[in-house]
C-alpha cells in the first residue's frame, strides 16, 4: 500500500495541476470577451452572442471559427472596413436594432463566399452605396430604416438579394417627391425610375450651364466688335480734321491696321 500511495500521489498532483491550468485558461479566454458576450453551440453551429451587450463597436476578439454571430440590440453606429475580416466560416450575421448610420466600403470584405444571411434591419441607415455589398451573395434585410428614396437606394436594392418578406419594410422616410413619403420603396420604383429622373435633371442643368457660357461668349464678342467700331469711327473723324496730306497717310495706316 505505501508503494501504491507513492505512485498515486504524484499522479493525483499532476491531474490537479492540469485541471487548474485548463480552468485558468478557460477563465482567461472568457474574460477576453466583452461583457455580455459568450460563445455557445446551436444546432451543431458555433455561435457567438453579444445581444444587448451595450457595444459601441464590433468586438475584436470574436472566435474565428464562429458560424453565427449575434450583435443585435446594441449601440453600434458605424461599420468600418474589414470589420469581419477574420471570420472565414461565418454563415449568419445579425446587426439589427443598432444605431448603424454608415457602412464603409469593404466592411463585409471576406464574407462574400460563405455568408448566407445579413440582418441590418431597425438601424439608422438613410443612404448607402451599392459598393458596401460588393460581391456579397447573402440574403439581406434592410427593413425599418429611415431611407431616403432616390437613385442611390434604387441602385442598392437592385444590387442586393433581399431577404424574403423584408422588401415591404423598406419605406420612404424622405423623398424629393412628397407623395412617396411613407410608401414602400419597391412599390414606388414600380412606377418611378429615380435614376432616369436624376439623369434628366443633370442633363438639363448641364444644358443651362452651357447656354449660360455661350451667352457670355456671344455678349463679349458683340461688345468687342462694337467697341472696335466705335474706336475706328472716332479715329476716322479725327483723320478728317487733319490736313489732306497727313490725313491720307494716317488713313492708309488705319486701313492696314483694320485689315
Amino acid at each position: 500500500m505505501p508503494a501504491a500511495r507513492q505512485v498515486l500521489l504524484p499522479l493525483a498532483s499532476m491531474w490537479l495541476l492540469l485541471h487548474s491550468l485548463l480552468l485558468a485558461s478557460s477563465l482567461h479566454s472568457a474574460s477576453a470577451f466583452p461583457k455580455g458576450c459568450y460563445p455557445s453551440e446551436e444546432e451543431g453551429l458555433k455561435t457567438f452572442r453579444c445581444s444587448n451587450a451595450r457595444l459601441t463597436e464590433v468586438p475584436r476578439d470574436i472566435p474565428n471559427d464562429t458560424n453565427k454571430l449575434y450583435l443585435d440590440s446594441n449601440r453600434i453606429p458605424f461599420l468600418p472596413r474589414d470589420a469581419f475580416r477574420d471570420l472565414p466560416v461565418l454563415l449568419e450575421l445579425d446587426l439589427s436594432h443598432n444605431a448603424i448610420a454608415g457602412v464603409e466600403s469593404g466592411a463585409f470584405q471576406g464574407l462574400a463566399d460563405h455568408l448566407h444571411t445579413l440582418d441590418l434591419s431597425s438601424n439608422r441607415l438613410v443612404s448607402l452605396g451599392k459598393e458596401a455589398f460588393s460581391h456579397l451573395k447573402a440574403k439581406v434585410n434592410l427593413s425599418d430604416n429611415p431611407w431616403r428614396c432616390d437613385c442611390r437606394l434604387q441602385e442598392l436594392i437592385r444590387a442586393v438579394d433581399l431577404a424574403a418578406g423584408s422588401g415591404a419594410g423598406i419605406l420612404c422616410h424622405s423623398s424629393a417627391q412628397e407623395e412617396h413619403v411613407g410608401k414602400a420603396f419597391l412599390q414606388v420604383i414600380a412606377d418611378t425610375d429615380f435614376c432616369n429622373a436624376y439623369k434628366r435633371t443633370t442633363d438639363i442643368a448641364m444644358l443651362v450651364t452651357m447656354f449660360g457660357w455661350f451667352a457670355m461668349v456671344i455678349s463679349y464678342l458683340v461688345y468687342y466688335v462694337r467697341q472696335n467700331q466705335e474706336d475706328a469711327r472716332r479715329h476716322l473723324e479725327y483723320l478728317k480734321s487733319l490736313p489732306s496730306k497727313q490725313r491720307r497717310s494716317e488713313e492708309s495706316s488705319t486701313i492696314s491696321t483694320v485689315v
Side-chain angles (χ1 to χ4, degrees):
M1 286 295 293
R5 183 178 296 177
Q6 288 180 355
V7 173
L8 290 173
L9 282 174
L11 289 175
S13 299
M14 289 179 62
W15 184 87
L16 287 172
L17 178 61
L18 180 61
H19 183 267
S20 298
L21 289 173
L22 289 173
L23 181 62
S25 175
S26 175
L27 289 173
H28 174 74
S29 177
S31 66
F33 299 141
K35 185 179 180 181
C37 298
Y38 60 92
S40 65
E41 189 164 326
E42 300 176 7
E43 299 176 350
L45 296 175
K46 292 191 175 181
T47 302
F48 193 72
R49 286 191 175 273
C50 287
S51 304
N52 290 294
R54 299 184 179 181
L55 298 176
T56 56
E57 63 180 5
V58 176
R60 298 180 181 177
D61 298 318
I62 302 170
N64 59 12
D65 60 350
T66 298
N67 302 126
K68 299 169 71 174
L69 176 59
Y70 293 89
L71 298 174
D72 56 299
S73 303
N74 283 290
R75 304 170 183 173
I76 301 171
F78 179 72
L79 299 179
R81 183 178 179 85
D82 294 328
F84 307 98
R85 179 183 57 187
D86 298 322
L87 300 172
V89 291
L90 189 65
L91 303 175
E92 298 181 21
L93 176 56
D94 189 347
L95 290 160
S96 64
H97 296 89
N98 272 280
I100 300 170
V103 179
E104 189 174 7
S105 178
F108 304 110
Q109 188 167 304
L111 304 181
D113 295 331
H114 45 82
L115 191 68
H116 291 171
T117 61
L118 170 61
D119 194 345
L120 281 166
S121 63
S122 300
N123 276 283
R124 299 180 184 174
L125 294 168
V126 175
S127 182
L128 192 58
K130 63 181 180 179
E131 62 276 2
F133 301 98
S134 180
H135 306 299
L136 205 62
K137 300 173 185 176
K139 299 284 185 181
V140 183
N141 187 345
L142 297 171
S143 62
D144 299 320
N145 281 280
W147 291 109
R148 179 172 64 244
C149 291
D150 56 11
C151 178
R152 201 163 189 239
L153 180 58
Q154 180 174 309
E155 290 181 337
L156 171 65
I157 296 300
R158 289 177 175 173
V160 300
D161 189 3
L162 294 177
S166 67
I170 303 174
L171 305 179
C172 296
H173 187 267
S174 61
S175 176
Q177 300 182 35
E178 191 66 26
E179 66 268 21
H180 295 155
V181 176
K183 292 184 178 180
F185 186 64
L186 294 183
Q187 177 186 347
V188 171
I189 59 174
D191 302 317
T192 305
D193 190 331
F194 285 92
C195 294
N196 273 349
Y198 174 78
K199 186 177 183 299
R200 285 197 299 270
T201 302
T202 305
D203 290 344
I204 291 171
M206 187 178 295
L207 286 173
V208 169
T209 303
M210 291 176 62
F211 179 79
W213 280 105
F214 183 72
M216 287 176 62
V217 171
I218 294 298
S219 299
Y220 174 76
L221 289 174
V222 170
Y223 169 79
Y224 180 79
V225 170
R226 287 182 177 177
Q227 189 66 30
N228 281 354
Q229 287 179 342
E230 184 65 21
D231 290 342
R233 186 184 63 78
R234 289 175 182 174
H235 192 64
L236 288 173
E237 289 180 353
Y238 167 73
L239 292 177
K240 290 178 181 179
S241 65
L242 296 176
S244 59
K245 184 176 181 180
Q246 184 178 357
R247 185 170 63 236
R248 283 194 299 272
S249 175
E250 295 255 353
E251 283 178 349
S252 60
S253 177
T254 300
I255 292 170
S256 64
T257 301
V258 172
V259 172

